[in-house]
Amino acid sequence: MSVSDIYQSMDYGPAPESAAEAMAWLDAHKRKFGHFIGGDFTKPAKTFASRNPATCEDLAQISQASQKDVEAAVKAARAAQPAWAKSGAKRARVLYALARALQKHSRLFAVLETLDNGKPIREARDIDVPLAQRHFYYHAGMAQLMASELPDAAPLGVCGQVIPWNFPLLMLAWKLAPALAMGNTVVLKPAEYTSLTALLFAEICAEAGVPKGVVNIITGDGAVGEMVVAADVDKVAFTGSTAVGRRIRAATAGSGKALTLELGGKSPYIVFDDADIDSAVEGLVDAIWFNQGQVCCAGSRLLVHEGIADRFYAKLRRRMEGLRIGDPLDKCIDVGAIVDPSQLAQITRLVEENQAGEMFQAGQVPETGCFYPPTLITGLHPADTLMQEEIFGPVLVATTFRTPAEAVQVANNTSYGLAASVWTENINLALDMAPKLAAGIVWVNGTNMMDAAAGFGGVRESGFGREGGWEGLAAYTRPKTKPKMQKPVAAFTGTGAPTDPIDRTAKLYIGGKQARPDAGYSRNIYGKKGQLLGQASLANRKDLRNAVEAAQKAASWSKTTGALRAQILYYMAENLAARGDEFAKRINDLTGTTTGKAEVEASLDALFTYAAWADKYDGQVHGVPIRGVALAMKEPLGTIGMICSDAQPLLGLIAPMAAAIGMGNRTVIHASQTYPLAATDLIQVLETSDIPAGVVNILTGDRADVAQHMGAHMDIDAVWSFADEATSTTVEAASAGNLKRTWVNHGAVPDWSDSHALLSHATEVKNIWVPYGE
Ligand code: NAI
């Protein structure tokens, strides 16, 4: 037999990992678990089975939490929080001890995870558990640095966290580590299929010296998740399906609870004809068959340059035939079990219903257990269901493109925006593509790279908020000083006639033009003494629609340089300063106060501040543990809708507007309802300040006529509301449709001095991973 014959005939032998230790741990708990509340396990009650999806055997019974359990957990977390928040240095030691404890028990965690979830032991051992440890190490450092680096930040309080089943321990680490580092306490609910590593983690909390009540873990299904969301918590953090994300957005609207949602994806994997094809094929194994494709950022949509498509597919099919499917505890296995029969049924249904394209399936799946073969479906149209819907299984769908521009178009043709991979040996092309892709993460010649130091999270219906890095901490902190609440102001009334015969009806400002309101209504605006100051147009849904269309047309603003935007803001300040006295008088007349001069000064200051920041609010280069860099780029969100407060009618418009447009966003601004004429006077300043048409659009009238539509509008990327509580609630509830980012103040007095808050709300961080190569 020749060496070549030996190579041809060689096959992998099984290399089974022993389940004995994990089984012994389960046995030590009599295979029955209660909840972990206030540092102790409760008695198991109303239990259901947690199964091994590879064998369909029961592993243990876990408890379905009741309303009382959830309340007890929140109470324990609430009681523990003040002491926990006291010392970052002490928290750092505890987080460090948790990381060490995870390391000490790493194999037990890995095996238990594989048993419970069905993922290959190689992945649990080499990815899930080490990344979870890394998260605790990294955030131990953040706890240590909080006092010196984030002096104005305070913890939110108690966080309710609901996590999915695809990376049970890793998601727990992603949620717990930053929350605990910033001085919050936690009630966490793992997914009902995969609670066991969370319960093992609960046990090591005591070992690591976590004070009682700081970490509480309650188990159960979606109904328990709903209870956590509804409980008396200060923040809800969720990772899971977009459908549930929407429900949580709607359920928390107006509650004042902070919210981050890490949802689904349909991430494009783009291969150009000059790519290193073998690497790109190998990358796909990680992109879509890692964790059986049950990965929110899975490269599940393959876009291949037309000229190489056939060759690429052929290589890919050959590689798929080499994938080994089977017992997840076997270290030779590439593709393990699907988490649960219900998920298997979902994958099977979606694939069976598809009539389009050509399907290829590789490998033999075991007869028992939840297995699904690696699947490739080529020749799909970008609009086909399987190109649009998240399958969350080992199913890759593919289409071709001809030009880079077409690749961008097809890649962005999705309601999601979590991640994207670009494969090309031309770094210029890769770096040209990266900013154009609608995604929170872009991997150049790589996939599924993640680290605690780099923010993870998406845009559009992939949710909002970032996990990891400095940017992830904002989700677990609030400013130290609690804001005061706004007092409602009533409009002055009067009967006075205009002081001069010239028409004073202020129009709306849409697409760089003054526009009459669609409905043809306007309202008299009076001063304190009843004098008629002018008339304001009443904008409705159609005016809002026109303004959004104008903002869409001004998309090129987002591509301008910060330097140019700075100049325009300075110029606007110059033009406002020239009419400063006029504006001061207008504010005095409108509000019946004498604060006009100071407000004009503050407005000029805001324009100068955001002009200054426009070319200085830089991104970062994260030190991630690869030979390469992760570039955290600050990008504009797109179109921001704003509802202004009645406090400070000029500054309250100029400060957020300047921050937003300075960062490259377009704006649709609903001016102060009670004092709209300062905003409409500003139209003339805007007209003379070289601001391109559509970048700033101003509406006046009743905010109740537009708030709902602004929140729901599919082409608005974020909404800020600085007005009353009711408007905040309306905006949050309406935003559930396309899960846009919202920033609402629940009726508090806006703090215009906090430029960092404005800037971070005006930007999205995109992490672009660029490995250097070998
Ligand atoms: P899911 O979103 O229903 O479950 C995630 C977590 O949310 C679990 O802990 C669950 O108990 C909880 N939950 C369910 N309903 C809830 C509610 N109304 N309020 C609060 N918490 C609730 O995901 P599921 O049903 O397990 O999977 C369905 C689909 O979701 C998958 O096929 C996949 O497409 C997607 N998915 C996406 C994930 C991601 O990371 N992007 C993770 C898990 C699922």
Side-chain angles (χ1 to χ4, degrees), residues 163-165 189 191-192 225-226 238 241 244 263 296 343 390 392:
I163 58 172
W165 40 258
K189 190 199 85 66
E192 52 271 43
E226 260 178 71
F238 172 76
S241 60
V244 173
L263 308 175
C296 50
Q343 184 64 16
E390 186 178 41
F392 228 63

Side-chain angles (χ1 to χ4, degrees), residues 281-616:
V281 167
E282 208 47 43
L284 265 173
V285 175
D286 281 340
I288 184 67
W289 293 301
F290 169 53
N291 202 16
Q292 296 69 251
Q294 302 165 121
V295 182
C296 50
C297 56
S300 52
R301 250 183 334 141
L302 171 63
L303 316 182
V304 194
H305 222 151
E306 196 177 73
I308 58 160
D310 289 341
R311 191 155 62 95
F312 190 85
Y313 293 153
K315 276 191 179 243
L316 181 57
R317 288 189 194 109
R318 208 158 50 240
R319 181 67 183 89
M320 287 168 72
E321 278 163 352
L323 291 172
R324 294 173 301 272
I325 313 158
D327 178 9
L329 274 179
D330 182 344
K331 286 175 221 131
C332 288
I333 285 302
D334 298 305
V335 180
I338 301 296
V339 70
D340 186 80
S342 63
Q343 184 64 16
L344 181 62
Q346 158 94 343
I347 299 166
T348 310
R349 179 186 62 79
L350 276 166
V351 173
E352 279 178 3
E353 281 174 8
N354 170 61
Q355 302 295 323
E358 237 180 276
M359 183 161 84
F360 172 78
Q361 291 188 315
Q364 278 292 315
V365 296
E367 274 171 18
T368 52
C370 292
F371 292 92
Y372 197 86
T375 302
L376 169 69
I377 304 175
T378 53
L380 291 180
H381 188 273
D384 284 333
T385 310
L386 289 192
M387 288 291 276
Q388 294 292 331
E389 266 196 45
E390 186 178 41
I391 302 171
F392 228 63
V395 182
L396 177 65
V397 295
T399 193
T400 57
F401 66 87
R402 290 186 180 166
T403 62
E406 198 188 353
V408 170
Q409 217 173 16
V410 179
N412 291 347
N413 180 12
T414 165
S415 54
Y416 295 110
L418 190 50
S421 285
V422 180
W423 290 79
T424 167
E425 290 299 286
N426 178 349
I427 190 73
N428 295 335
L429 176 59
L431 293 180
D432 176 57
M433 292 286 290
K436 294 177 180 165
L437 294 168
I441 308 149
V442 178
W443 295 298
V444 173
N445 293 328
T447 182
N448 277 341
M449 288 180 269
M450 31 192 114
D451 182 59
F456 184 97
V459 296
R460 300 180 171 176
E461 292 184 23
S462 292
F464 42 78
R466 293 288 177 269
E467 301 194 281
W470 289 97
E471 60 257 39
L473 301 180
Y476 287 102
T477 53
R478 59 167 177 80
K480 253 185 191 159
T481 43
K482 280 212 169 164
K484 292 197 187 95
M485 295 307 279
Q486 291 179 43
K487 291 197 186 85
V489 285
F492 296 123
T493 51
T495 50
T499 45
D500 63 50
I502 301 169
D503 179 20
R504 294 285 169 203
T505 311
K507 300 201 181 65
L508 309 173
Y509 186 56
I510 296 176
K513 294 198 184 83
Q514 302 205 24
R516 285 181 202 288
D518 166 78
Y521 285 107
S522 56
R523 170 191 292 151
N524 288 350
I525 304 294
Y526 296 100
K528 195 175 180 182
K529 292 182 189 142
Q531 75 275 30
L532 183 67
L533 299 175
Q535 282 154 335
S537 300
L538 302 186
N540 66 9
R541 183 172 55 88
K542 287 190 185 159
D543 300 305
L544 174 73
R545 180 197 62 195
N546 295 342
V548 175
E549 275 174 19
Q552 293 292 97
K553 284 193 195 131
S556 60
W557 176 253
S558 299
K559 294 186 191 141
T560 55
T561 63
L564 176 84
R565 298 194 295 268
Q567 277 188 30
I568 290 179
L569 286 170
Y570 283 128
Y571 190 32
M572 199 194 296
E574 194 183 314
N575 289 329
L576 177 64
R579 298 178 51 189
D581 292 345
E582 202 182 305
F583 271 91
K585 179 171 182 315
R586 180 62 114 180
I587 294 167
N588 290 346
D589 286 348
L590 280 168
T591 60
T593 65
T594 54
T595 55
K597 195 163 184 307
E599 191 175 332
V600 171
E601 266 313 306
S603 302
L604 291 171
D605 211 41
L607 287 169
F608 263 73
T609 298
Y610 297 107
W613 275 121
D615 55 2
K616 296 176 193 64

Side-chain angles (χ1 to χ4, degrees), residues 62 66 94 162 195 218 226 252 267 277-278 300 306 331 366 393 434 465 503 509 524 578 617 635 670 726:
I62 54 177
S66 64
V94 173
V162 179
S195 300
I218 51 168
E226 260 178 71
T252 53
S267 299
I277 297 210
D278 290 322
S300 52
E306 196 177 73
K331 286 175 221 131
D503 179 20
Y509 186 56
N524 288 350
Y617 193 58
E635 296 188 341
H670 193 270

